[in-house]
Amino acid sequence: MRNTMKLTIATLAGAAALSLAVPAVAKTQVAVGVTETVSSYNPHGDSISMGYGIWCQVYGCLGTYDFKTGNYVGMLAERWTIDKDDPNIWTFYLRKGMKRHNDGKELTSADVVHSINRMANDPQTRQKQNVRHVKEAVAVDKYTVKIVTKQPTAPLLEFIFDRVMITGKDLFDKHGAKTADRNYPWGWGPYKLKEIMIGQRIVLEKDASHPDAKKENPDILMFRVMREAEQRVTALLNREVQIAQFIPPHLAVRIEKAPNADIVPTSSVELMFLAMSPKTKPYDNPVLRKAICHAINRDAIIKAVLNDQAERLDGPIGPGQYGYDPKAAAEMKVEYDPAKAKAMLEKAGLTGTEVELSTPVGRYVNDKQVTESMIPMLNAVGLKAKLKTPEWPTLWANVQKGRVPFYFMGRGSVVDPSPAFAQYFETGGSPRIGISDPAIDAALQKERATFDPDARKKAINDAFRLIVEKQPACFMWRHKLLYGQAKSVDYTPTPSGRIFGVEIAVK
């Protein structure tokens, strides 16, 4: 014991002398106040926009959508092609020399094939819908992957880019999913997973050797769960966080007056909607669903509750999203008409029907206030409406399992609408709404199989018309998002809400 103690003291003394001789370089850190979090170590165990962003920069993804250029760009894939004779065959060519964290193993096509198959078959997967159109994935050689789709799928990149997390086949085979995810979360992204405290924070550390990592990017990137807007604003002004998501308009003035922070606005491609499950009474009645949509005064809510920091949706999507057609959107607009809603309910014998609207609290800008304002609107047309405010983890878990028949929610990262609308409105997509309609299914399948851009945009709007006609959802608005940002960082928020460390510069 004495010898061991002497060795320890000598070692510490030597380390102290070394530290005096060579000053340690302080690590830069950026903390982000966010409103949602991952619920497990499994990168396929959630289906949330922020989760995709976190795991994508840890494990690595094939590619992503670049809002600056309006194009899909490669991450682990350097390029891709579609077979000119068979549109079901896509070929992806991987970047060579990509080294994994901790052990330096090179990325290979076997890892990509494994990850696609795992996304489909993992018992905990919440992302099966992203690869449901893939018939098979084949390793052609060490750096080439062939993906064969079941039917021609024009928006394939939107389904698999920054959604399929590339986990190591060797670690999975050796340790199994649970142990590999928890003890060996090694990947090919520019950041390494340092810590997860479910419901509290996720901490990432930059891999300085990664080819995409830059000196000015933060060494430590921390996501702190802060669902209360006041908490995020206070933390920003106290320098506890450097980026604060989703600042409500009424709190923006505090940041604008602060000497150490700015308000940074961005548009959003997240669709806010009311979902109604046709598989559950009384929402199985289309008259009730249509009446609810006519009862909601979206313009009044946007003006009074959101302080005009939102853009009303007439059709299911808005300007800038693939397939948007202003003429088609105007034709699909569901007008605010409480008299019509009341008459519809009376004629169908639905006056007095009890409905319970579930809402997140603190997940979206003024979400509780928004839904509180909807309750008297629903009551005014003859319904007996009640608001439910479960905790976000409970609500989200039950929505994913199809256990919430009537709820307010957002669907994020809708650039090309195919994945989102297949997920929510196509038979077998997910149980979140649970509609099963052959006409909608056929229309969604047709738009995916159409590669000509003009023809495909028309097909998308044909599918939209059917969805609006059946009304399993009332499409509300897209937020104009406000971020609070310390003057010590340079960052441009994206409409998708994903936050990548390689896009942040510490000044």
Side-chain angles (χ1 to χ4, degrees), residues 164-182:
V164 177
M165 311 304 156
I166 310 303
T167 56
K169 182 180 185 301
D170 59 327
L171 296 175
F172 182 91
D173 291 344
K174 182 177 180 180
H175 303 287
K178 186 174 181 180
T179 299
D181 292 340
R182 184 175 287 270

Side-chain angles (χ1 to χ4, degrees), residues 256-475:
E256 290 172 336
K257 292 180 178 180
N260 64 318
D262 293 311
I263 281 289
V264 181
T266 185
S267 58
S268 174
V269 288
E270 182 165 47
L271 310 176
M272 304 305 300
F273 60 92
L274 289 177
M276 298 167 285
S277 175
K279 66 181 182 182
T280 307
K281 290 184 178 298
Y283 311 99
D284 59 336
N285 192 319
V287 175
L288 177 70
R289 301 197 300 268
K290 291 176 183 293
I292 285 174
C293 293
H294 283 299
I296 304 300
N297 190 338
R298 295 171 296 163
D299 290 331
I301 294 173
I302 290 171
K303 182 177 179 62
V305 184
L306 298 175
N307 198 27
D308 287 323
Q309 292 296 309
E311 179 183 35
R312 189 189 70 206
L313 289 172
D314 290 335
I317 62 174
Q321 291 170 298
Y322 188 87
Y324 175 72
D325 180 339
K327 182 178 179 181
E331 293 170 354
M332 289 183 273
K333 181 180 178 181
V334 178
E335 296 283 0
Y336 168 58
D337 193 337
K340 182 176 182 179
K342 188 173 184 178
M344 291 170 66
L345 294 173
E346 289 175 350
K347 184 176 181 180
L350 295 170
T351 301
T353 299
E354 296 182 355
V355 297
E356 290 186 334
L357 173 59
S358 295
T359 183
V361 179
R363 168 61 185 89
Y364 306 100
V365 175
N366 290 354
D367 42 19
K368 184 181 178 183
Q369 296 90 327
V370 161
T371 46
E372 283 176 335
S373 70
M374 293 179 181
I375 298 302
M377 295 177 186
L378 295 173
N379 289 334
V381 300
L383 297 172
K384 292 183 178 179
K386 177 181 177 182
L387 188 66
K388 298 181 68 175
T389 57
E391 292 289 330
W392 168 251
T394 301
L395 174 61
W396 179 232
N398 285 329
V399 164
Q400 292 182 92
K401 296 172 183 176
R403 296 176 180 172
V404 187
F406 183 29
Y407 59 90
F408 175 67
M409 193 67 68
R411 196 343 177 138
S413 303
V414 182
V415 178
D416 186 311
S418 267
F421 284 80
Q423 183 179 40
Y424 277 86
F425 304 113
E426 187 173 1
T427 302
S430 79
R432 297 182 187 184
I433 288 180
I435 187 171
S436 180
D437 185 283
I440 293 176
D441 292 348
L444 290 173
Q445 291 160 13
K446 180 180 178 181
E447 67 86 1
R448 287 197 302 269
T450 305
F451 283 75
D452 176 77
D454 291 336
R456 183 164 175 250
K457 290 174 183 177
K458 181 181 181 304
I460 286 173
N461 282 283
D462 288 342
F464 286 167
R465 288 185 180 90
L466 289 172
I467 292 169
V468 172
E469 179 186 338
K470 301 294 182 180
Q471 212 79 76
C474 310
F475 299 99

Side-chain angles (χ1 to χ4, degrees), residues 95-140:
R95 293 168 70 178
K96 297 177 181 178
M98 299 300 293
K99 303 296 185 181
R100 187 166 64 189
H101 313 146
N102 299 83
D103 67 353
K105 177 193 173 295
E106 188 179 15
L107 172 71
T108 71
S109 56
D111 299 304
V112 177
V113 171
H114 150 76
S115 301
I116 292 172
N117 292 335
R118 181 183 174 186
M119 179 175 273
N121 301 315
D122 190 315
Q124 292 187 342
T125 186
R126 291 287 186 273
Q127 302 167 4
K128 189 173 184 177
Q129 73 279 353
N130 292 322
V131 292
R132 65 192 293 249
H133 305 295
V134 175
K135 180 180 179 180
E136 64 174 344
V138 179
V140 177

